[in-house]
Amino acid sequence: MTAELSPIDRAKSVAAYRAAEMVEEGMRVGLGTGSTAAWLVRRLGERVRDEDLRIKGVPTSTATAQLAREVGIEVVSLDQAGWLDVTIDGADEFDGELNLIKGGGAALLQEKIVATASDQMIVIADAGKEVEALGAFPLPVEVIPFGWQTTRTLIEELLDTMDVLGTSATLRMNNEAPTVTDEGNHILDLHLQRIGNPRQLALVLNQIPGVVENGLFIDICDKVVIGHGDGRVELRDFNSGTIELDRLGDEHDNLFSDLAD
């Protein structure tokens, strides 16, 4: 017997299912990282198996690459694929202009590279990820290990001049050791509470020596698919200004119920 999906998992699953329908034969698809993106990868694997869908997947992390191979998706590198048709990924926060905070899964660098190498980026998220202003979720910043404490000091000094409510930065840990990204770097989480000018902050953070990339995705996302716990799905297209509403049935619970978050 399969366990009934929780409301949050059902929201993720219906968003992933709806986004997976946008993938067409022969596409080169950027595959995001994180719990919500994992639902998408599983659903695309179902389509590859059941519909003989042929796509090339460009993963944004080693974890996503492993999952994609497990479900039968052909995995290629970004260099092999060249330009991508679409990237589908989750987000830790998104606002009304589809600006994002990403990096909760420590894959923000590869995620941003892949997303910007795509004709369009589609974000899949549960409704709780939508905010009026970015910043409640700590903003990840990827930094090189050498001199990371100096980099943190420079960041905190910069934050004193920015339109934010908090200015502290903490090193993300994995048990007793610093978190290490796929590129061998560390993550500083900025506890800002609210970001008044995301575009400005994204630009100035990357000017600090030691900073590799930050988790603010500005003018990158084109569409967002928002899932709800009752099966409702909302598709917002920022470029056209359109909103589509749909509802997916209970059969999708069974499709995804074996996926552990």
Side-chain angles (χ1 to χ4, degrees):
M1 180 180 296
T2 57
E4 182 179 353
L5 291 177
S6 67
I8 186 69
D9 283 347
R10 191 156 194 264
K12 293 178 180 181
S13 74
V14 296
Y17 194 99
R18 180 66 180 86
E21 293 177 344
M22 303 180 198
V23 176
E24 300 175 358
E25 175 74 14
M27 276 189 168
R28 294 160 293 178
V29 184
L31 303 174
T33 295
S35 62
T36 308
W39 299 88
L40 170 83
V41 175
R42 287 292 181 99
R43 174 54 187 157
L44 288 175
E46 293 276 349
R47 292 193 61 197
V48 167
R49 184 188 68 210
D50 298 340
E51 304 173 23
D52 197 27
L53 178 71
R54 287 171 292 185
I55 60 174
K56 296 183 186 296
V58 176
T60 54
S61 67
T62 55
T64 297
Q66 179 179 347
L67 178 59
R69 292 188 179 99
E70 288 175 358
V71 300
I73 297 173
E74 181 183 356
V75 172
V76 298
S77 70
L78 181 58
D79 288 337
Q80 290 172 318
W83 199 256
L84 306 183
D85 297 289
V86 64
T87 288
I88 307 176
D89 203 348
D92 299 302
E93 285 184 347
F94 68 92
D95 65 14
E97 296 183 348
L98 300 194
N99 296 316
L100 320 171
I101 285 183
K102 290 182 52 56
L108 63 100
L109 176 58
Q110 292 189 27
E111 288 173 334
K112 189 174 283 190
I113 292 172
V114 170
T116 54
S118 306
D119 284 339
Q120 64 173 331
M121 180 191 188
I122 301 172
V123 160
I124 50 177
D126 61 88
K129 298 298 184 2
E130 183 173 12
V131 296
E132 290 188 8
L134 300 176
F137 189 92
L139 174 63
V141 176
E142 186 159 342
V143 300
I144 65 170
F146 176 81
W148 72 264
Q149 294 187 59
T150 299
T151 303
R152 179 178 64 182
T153 298
L154 292 171
I155 289 174
E156 290 179 336
E157 290 178 352
L158 170 70
L159 293 177
D160 283 332
T161 69
M162 294 287 103
D163 183 9
V164 296
L165 296 182
T167 59
S168 66
T170 58
L171 181 67
R172 189 181 300 182
M173 303 295 290
N174 182 11
N175 296 320
E176 300 298 318
T179 295
V180 178
T181 70
D182 281 351
E183 302 301 320
N185 298 316
H186 293 337
I187 297 288
L188 292 175
D189 288 314
L190 312 189
H191 304 275
L192 309 178
Q193 301 176 45
R194 180 185 178 277
I195 302 173
N197 191 334
R199 186 183 307 277
Q200 179 189 40
L201 183 60
L203 290 173
V204 296
L205 278 172
N206 282 9
Q207 297 176 18
I208 295 177
V211 170
V212 180
E213 189 53 83
N214 68 81
L216 285 167
F217 283 50
I218 310 298
D219 297 334
I220 296 176
C221 178
D222 299 285
K223 299 176 182 178
V224 60
V225 182
I226 306 168
H228 298 263
D230 60 1
R232 288 180 296 124
V233 182
E234 180 180 348
L235 170 61
R236 297 183 195 170
D237 187 324
F238 184 76
N239 296 318
S240 68
T242 59
I243 298 176
E244 297 179 15
L245 301 176
D246 199 359
R247 181 185 294 272
L248 301 185
D250 293 337
E251 67 272 12
H252 304 295
D253 289 0
N254 294 329
L255 178 64
F256 289 107
S257 59
D258 63 338
L259 177 57
D261 231 3

